[in-house]
Amino acid sequence: MLIAASVASAQEWRRYGVDDLVVVDVQGQPQISDTLGQTVFMSQTEYGMIVVTKMIENVGVPTDQELQKFYNEFLQGYAKSGKVGIVNSTYDTTGGPPSMRFNFHQLEGTVYGEAEVVLVNNRVYTFQFLFNGAVRAEATPEYEHFFSSVIIMSPQITQLPPGVRFGR
């Protein structure tokens, strides 16, 4: 699935509610598509593309070991479906719900990016910043702003402090 968006270089960051559990900062109005139980939110920035996905998974409340296995299997599926190579990955248990943080590159082409996947209340969210051919140093303020803006509400609807969620 490919969605074109215009460059939002002069646009300000705006808070956007993905659903009742997740809010993020994006530039401009995100484009939203819903396909086969997966909702995709996309927003163009000067140096890249922000992509947030939400999928429903009926996995119950996993143990830490089951959660790590779930994330590892997710990465394997992500790599196969997107024809990307996973550069590195880290299981992160600091600051909020455990998540898997990873860097990737497209095997054929120039797409590369950073992403994080988190399972909350039977919902799997991915937060991605796809670099637009930019040198990483040029894009650093944008992807750091995006990842630090992600707020996930707990099942008890108490808010985690901004920036603590991903600890970047």
Side-chain angles (χ1 to χ4, degrees):
M1 169 175 39
L2 179 64
I3 298 175
S6 62
V7 175
S9 61
Q11 295 188 26
E12 297 292 319
W13 290 95
R14 296 176 43 203
R15 178 85 7 175
Y16 184 79
V18 173
D19 61 13
D20 61 331
L21 292 179
V22 174
V23 293
V24 298
D25 285 356
V26 297
Q27 289 187 358
Q29 181 66 29
Q31 294 185 353
I32 304 167
S33 63
D34 199 348
T35 310
L36 301 173
Q38 175 176 321
T39 306
V40 180
F41 304 82
M42 300 176 74
S43 174
Q44 185 73 38
T45 70
E46 184 174 5
Y47 294 111
M49 174 74 71
I50 291 169
V51 181
V52 177
T53 61
K54 177 181 84 171
M55 300 165 281
I56 304 299
E57 292 286 334
N58 293 314
V59 295
V61 179
T63 65
D64 190 58
Q65 185 177 9
E66 291 169 335
L67 192 57
Q68 287 185 46
K69 181 177 185 276
F70 174 84
Y71 286 144
N72 287 331
E73 290 172 356
F74 179 91
L75 285 183
Q76 290 171 3
Y78 184 89
K80 287 179 186 174
S81 68
K83 297 181 183 171
V84 298
I86 304 299
V87 177
N88 61 45
S89 63
T90 306
Y91 183 66
D92 185 9
T93 59
T94 61
S99 63
M100 181 69 77
R101 185 180 303 164
F102 58 100
N103 300 80
F104 60 90
H105 64 89
Q106 190 174 20
L107 299 178
E108 297 175 13
T110 59
V111 174
Y112 63 104
E114 294 206 10
E116 186 141 0
V117 59
V118 63
L119 173 67
V120 179
N121 277 10
N122 286 329
R123 300 177 201 175
V124 178
Y125 298 92
T126 62
F127 304 94
Q128 303 173 65
F129 189 93
L130 309 176
F131 296 95
N132 189 17
V135 176
R136 184 183 176 98
E138 293 172 333
T140 297
E142 287 185 353
Y143 78 78
E144 284 183 348
H145 180 106
F146 167 64
F147 282 110
S148 68
S149 78
V150 175
I151 298 173
I152 298 176
M153 307 295 208
S154 76
Q156 295 80 27
I157 314 301
T158 56
Q159 183 173 322
L160 297 171
V164 172
R165 199 10 237 120
F166 286 152
R168 293 188 183 211

